[in-house]
Amino acid sequence: MFSWLRGRRAPAGVPIEADLWRRSTAPWLFMRGMGAADSERLRALCERFLAIKRFAGTHELEVTPPMRIAIAAQACILVLELGIDWYEGWSDVIIYPGQFAPEREVEDDAGIVHLTRDAMAGEAWLGGPVILSYEDVALAGDERLRVAGYNVVIHEFAHKLDMRNGDPNGFPPLHRGMDPRAWRLAFSEAYADFVRKVEAAERLPKRRSQAALDALPIDPYAAESAGEFFAVASEAFFETPELLAPAYPSVYEQLRLFYRQDPNARLAARAAT
Ligand SMILES: [Zn+2]
């Protein structure tokens, strides 16, 4: 009676035509230095991703094939050496035209509950969807507007990897052979140092304060929590490894072991040719 189950196959990939693939991935910083074979593997991974995830636009936003491919490419760069299974257990990618402001109840230190409506560029739910503002997605791909290292898709999908063992706390499930103590030490030292730097910058007079925050090697938002530090460091790892690696070498090393990629070496090899 359940014979249909036996005959059921994993959905085949959604083919991405070569020219569209090139155009959709050309603007992304993480593609710098990537060889043709790796780019092809990334494309195949995106074809699988498109087959298993559902995209939906809100406020009548039409999610076009190039938009889907651009988002898939950024999501899949994280799992190029891990496999698409790291994104199993949920299925929806919801796209708002711009930033969204969901109403949330937040309890303050005194136990008083407030209603907040903070504008958000993206959000990842435990066991649920990834939600993205397309305006922010497009920003990372626009050479004239982008802030180096800012990539909302990589950020939210890093949270998704972190959530594979519960709430996002900056401690995703590590591979066999990785040392959890080395991970904890690298991240806790870097996080403490970064929080100190952000706080010092924020104490400066207004104009100098902004300049000091802009000069930090990663987005100051990383100082929010250990979970945010991991997501922001992941953005920098793929987008601006040349800034992250010298600033926090042991974090870079742990991310290199976790993602099984070395974006800084890709850049160096590209510069040498
Ligand atoms: Zn976040």
Side-chain angles (χ1 to χ4, degrees):
M1 135 175 124
F2 291 114
S3 61
W4 61 273
L5 270 178
R6 281 201 299 276
R8 200 172 61 164
R9 292 220 175 87
V14 173
I16 303 171
E17 193 246 317
D19 191 47
L20 186 56
W21 172 249
R22 245 189 325 275
R23 273 188 287 126
S24 307
T25 52
W28 307 107
L29 286 176
F30 63 80
M31 294 298 286
R32 292 179 297 166
M34 190 174 298
D38 284 345
S39 172
E40 271 313 296
R41 285 196 305 121
L42 184 62
R43 176 163 74 151
L45 207 58
C46 287
E47 291 177 335
R48 291 277 305 128
F49 183 89
L50 293 177
I52 59 174
K53 300 299 177 210
R54 263 193 315 255
F55 283 74
T58 69
H59 301 83
E60 294 173 25
L61 176 73
E62 189 200 345
V63 185
T64 62
M67 286 163 78
R68 274 197 287 271
I69 295 166
I71 290 167
Q74 296 169 82
C76 287
I77 187 64
L78 282 79
V79 295
L80 181 62
E81 306 299 339
L82 306 180
I84 203 75
D85 291 352
W86 278 71
Y87 290 147
E88 72 186 2
W90 59 277
S91 49
D92 292 300
V93 181
I94 299 167
I95 324 251
Y96 280 73
Q99 295 204 343
F100 47 98
E103 200 171 80
R104 294 279 154 80
E105 285 185 354
V106 179
E107 194 176 318
D108 67 17
D109 293 341
I112 299 165
V113 174
H114 302 266
L115 274 183
T116 64
R117 265 185 175 280
D118 290 336
M120 300 175 86
E123 196 175 24
W125 291 28
L126 188 67
V130 169
I131 308 169
L132 299 164
S133 143
Y134 195 71
E135 218 168 64
D136 289 77
V137 173
L139 206 62
D142 188 325
E143 283 170 37
R144 294 155 307 166
L145 299 177
R146 77 173 151 223
V147 177
Y150 178 68
N151 186 303
V152 66
V153 182
I154 291 178
H155 183 104
E156 299 307 333
F157 280 83
H159 281 319
K160 272 293 186 192
L161 299 179
D162 193 355
M163 287 171 181
R164 285 191 61 82
N165 54 2
D167 283 326
N169 57 359
F171 217 113
L174 304 182
H175 310 301
R176 197 171 310 188
M178 286 184 71
D179 180 359
R181 282 165 311 178
W183 180 280
R184 189 174 287 116
L185 186 67
F187 275 89
S188 60
E189 282 185 354
Y191 179 63
D193 175 76
F194 191 70
V195 169
R196 265 196 308 274
K197 288 194 165 106
V198 169
E199 285 173 354
E202 283 171 342
R203 278 194 300 270
L204 294 169
K206 197 159 183 238
R207 216 158 45 92
R208 282 178 50 214
S209 165
Q210 193 53 52
L213 289 171
D214 290 345
L216 292 170
I218 60 175
D219 189 333
Y221 186 63
E224 285 282 310
S225 67
E228 294 305 338
F229 188 84
F230 167 70
V232 171
S234 294
E235 290 177 72
F237 178 75
F238 289 105
E239 294 274 283
T240 49
E242 67 275 36
L243 300 180
L244 178 69
Y248 293 115
S250 43
V251 164
Y252 184 87
E253 173 61 9
Q254 290 302 313
L255 292 177
R256 188 184 69 78
L257 294 170
F258 177 65
Y259 288 114
R260 294 176 168 154
Q261 298 184 52
D262 193 343
N264 213 19
R266 277 205 289 263
L267 279 186
R270 174 186 182 241
T273 54

